Amino acid sequence: MVGLIACTPSVEQDAVRQQKTYQDWLSEGGNTLLVSEYQGFLNQNGSVQVLDMHSLLSNQRDFSKCAAPQWMVPPKTQWKNIIPALKVIDVLQKKQLILSSDVVTSSYRDASLNQCAGGSSASKHLTNHALDVQLRGADAALRYNALCAFWSQYGADLKFGLGFYGENQIHIDGAGWRTWGADYTRKSSPCRR
C-alpha cells in the first residue's frame, strides 16, 4: 500500500516563498530606498537589529483577507515608536531565551488595514508601537509562563504591553505596562495573577 504524502508546504518552503515575495515588493516604487532609510533611522537611534526588515514590516496575518500590502512602512513620524518594542524583543530573545524562531505576523497597520483586521480604534499598531508574534514550536504554550514571569518582573520598567490571542499568537509593545487575553481584558490574560 502506498502511503499518502502531505501536500502542505513546509516551514522552509513558506519562508523561501515569503522572501521572494518580499524581494518583489521591495523592488516596486521606491520601496528599497524607503526601507533602507527606515533601517538607517533605527540603527542611528539605538535600536538593536533583532528582526530583519522583512519581519519588521510584515502584515502576514491579515493582508490577503483585507486586500492590503503584505509589507508596510510606517510614516516617518512614527518610526521611533517601534524602538521600545524592539528592545523588549531583544531581551526576550537574547537574555531570556523566550523568543527564538517565532514569526512576526503583524506590525504597523494603517487605518483601513486595522479596521479590516478587527483591530481596536486605539490599536498600538496604528502608531507603530506594536508587533504581533506567532510562537512556534511544541513548547509555545509553555513559554506563556515565562512571558508572564518576565512581564510581571520587568514589564513596568519596560512599559511592556503583552496580549494573548490564542493559538500561540501574542502582542508585544513598549507603550504601557498592561496585559490582556482573548476578550481584550486583563481577566482573560494568562498573566492575571
Side-chain angles (χ1 to χ4, degrees):
M1 184 168 144
V2 176
L4 296 175
I5 298 173
C7 294
T8 57
S10 69
V11 171
E12 293 83 18
Q13 290 170 327
D14 190 45
V16 168
R17 187 172 48 250
Q18 291 285 327
Q19 190 60 37
K20 165 82 170 89
T21 308
Y22 175 70
Q23 291 302 322
D24 291 345
W25 171 82
L26 203 55
S27 65
E28 296 171 2
N31 289 335
T32 300
L33 180 58
L34 187 57
V35 169
S36 179
E37 284 181 50
Y38 188 24
Q39 179 68 64
F41 175 87
L42 292 174
N43 292 343
Q44 291 173 356
N45 288 279
S47 175
V48 290
Q49 178 103 21
V50 295
L51 297 171
D52 59 25
M53 292 306 283
H54 169 268
S55 297
L56 184 59
L57 303 174
S58 179
N59 281 307
Q60 309 189 121
R61 193 174 76 200
D62 300 310
F63 85 97
S64 60
K65 76 175 184 179
C66 296
Q70 189 167 356
W71 295 276
M72 205 176 276
V73 179
K76 288 182 180 183
T77 57
Q78 297 179 357
W79 286 2
K80 69 183 181 311
N81 297 349
I82 198 64
I83 293 172
L86 293 175
K87 289 180 178 178
V88 169
I89 287 178
D90 180 50
V91 172
L92 292 173
Q93 284 179 340
K94 296 177 183 169
K95 295 180 181 141
Q96 298 296 313
L97 305 177
I98 297 171
L99 299 180
S100 57
S101 62
D102 308 303
V103 176
V104 174
T105 58
S106 188
S107 57
Y108 168 75
R109 295 192 296 240
D110 64 18
S112 63
L113 176 56
N114 189 63
Q115 183 178 16
C116 175
S120 160
S121 62
S123 172
K124 298 303 180 194
H125 292 278
L126 289 165
T127 55
N128 196 37
H129 283 95
L131 297 163
D132 289 345
V133 177
Q134 180 184 32
L135 301 179
R136 292 205 168 160
D139 67 338
L142 296 175
R143 288 188 277 158
Y144 276 19
N145 290 334
L147 279 164
C148 287
F150 178 81
W151 176 85
S152 294
Q153 187 169 0
Y154 302 106
D157 291 338
L158 293 171
K159 298 180 182 171
F160 177 18
L162 177 61
F164 296 88
Y165 299 123
E167 290 304 314
N168 303 330
Q169 189 76 26
I170 62 169
H171 168 106
I172 293 173
D173 70 50
W177 188 43
R178 64 215 188 288
T179 186
W180 63 94
D183 70 356
Y184 302 100
T185 68
R186 182 180 174 92
K187 69 181 179 185
S188 62
S189 169
C191 304
R192 67 183 179 273
R193 300 177 209 142

